[in-house]
């Protein structure tokens, strides 16, 4: 069984979080990429019209916050390939624009790209590592059918959707089975029992435990 990979969930959404996660030694740092008015914005919050952003119980005005762009994240990474870019919809143009930026800035880097919008991955070629994400049961079913026809580098799946047999089948077609959210000891124990190869967590201390256990 290979060592469990440690992935910092959303840590790449600001420069300080990115540097902290990289310095902690995690295997990958996730950053959420949106396209807004031609700019590749880094943010988890969703847009509510042109002026508002929201996430669960939070609503903020764009003018009150500073959002980094993908180029800022690449600058902060300083050539470190331990990035996992999570491409968000609905603007399909986010993919070719992000791919062009990676080719220009880090052409030899094995950066990981993840998305629930799987067609976006067609914009990326090796050495980029492609990861298909699924967050509900219908999507997981479609994902399994696709992988039987076309294996990929990895998948990123919501923890509650997985069972040991499903993980075993996924591992026939991909190198990495990543699972989220893993933010508690109980979730980490469950992920280990499932046989996944990577955990995605917002808790750097928990990821440190994963790294020390290797």
């Amino acid at each position: 069984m290979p060592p469990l990979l440690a992935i910092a969930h959303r840590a790449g959404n600001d420069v300080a979080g990115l540097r902290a996660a990289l310095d902690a030694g995690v295997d990958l740092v996730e950053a959420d990429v949106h396209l807004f008015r031609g700019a590749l914005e880094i943010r988890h919050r969703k847009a509510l019209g042109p002026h508002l952003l929201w996430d669960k119980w939070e609503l903020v005005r764009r003018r009150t916050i500073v959002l980094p762009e993908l180029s800022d994240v690449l600058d902060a990474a300083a050539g470190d390939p331990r990035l996992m870019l999570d491409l968000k919809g609905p603007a399909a143009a986010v993919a070719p624009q992000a791919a062009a930026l990676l080719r220009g800035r880090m052409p030899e880097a094995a950066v990981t790209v993840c998305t629930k919008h799987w067609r976006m991955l067609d914009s990326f070629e090796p050495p980029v590592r492609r990861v298909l994400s699924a967050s509900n049961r219908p999507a997981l079913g479609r994902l399994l059918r696709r992988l039987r026809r076309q294996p990929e580098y990895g998948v990123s799946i919501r923890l509650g959707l997985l069972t040991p047999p499903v993980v075993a089948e996924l591992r026939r077609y991909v190198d990495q089975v990543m699972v989220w959210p893993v933010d508690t000891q109980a979730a980490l124990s469950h992920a280990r029992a499932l046989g996944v190869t990577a955990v995605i967590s917002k808790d750097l201390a928990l990821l440190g435990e994963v790294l020390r256990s290797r």
Side-chain angles (χ1 to χ4, degrees), residues 2 11 21 44 80 83 90 139 153 177-179 187 212:
H44 182 72
D80 195 316
L83 297 174
Y153 169 73
V177 178
M178 307 170 180
V179 64
R212 290 189 298 272

Side-chain angles (χ1 to χ4, degrees), residues 1 4 159 167 179 182 185-199:
M1 185 77 175
L4 195 64
L159 178 63
V167 172
V179 64
V182 181
Q185 287 288 346
L188 177 57
S189 296
H190 182 41
R192 290 186 186 278
L194 287 170
V196 303
T197 66
V199 293

Side-chain angles (χ1 to χ4, degrees), residues 96-137:
Q97 194 163 324
L101 185 60
L102 286 177
R103 285 194 299 270
R105 298 284 294 276
M106 302 175 68
E108 305 300 324
V111 173
T112 302
V113 176
C114 175
T115 185
K116 295 177 183 177
H117 308 280
W118 305 331
R119 289 184 179 179
M120 289 186 180
L121 295 175
D122 294 340
S123 295
F124 298 87
E125 298 178 353
V128 171
R129 295 170 172 172
R130 306 185 345 163
V131 174
L132 288 72
S133 182
S135 60
N136 56 54
R137 293 195 183 282

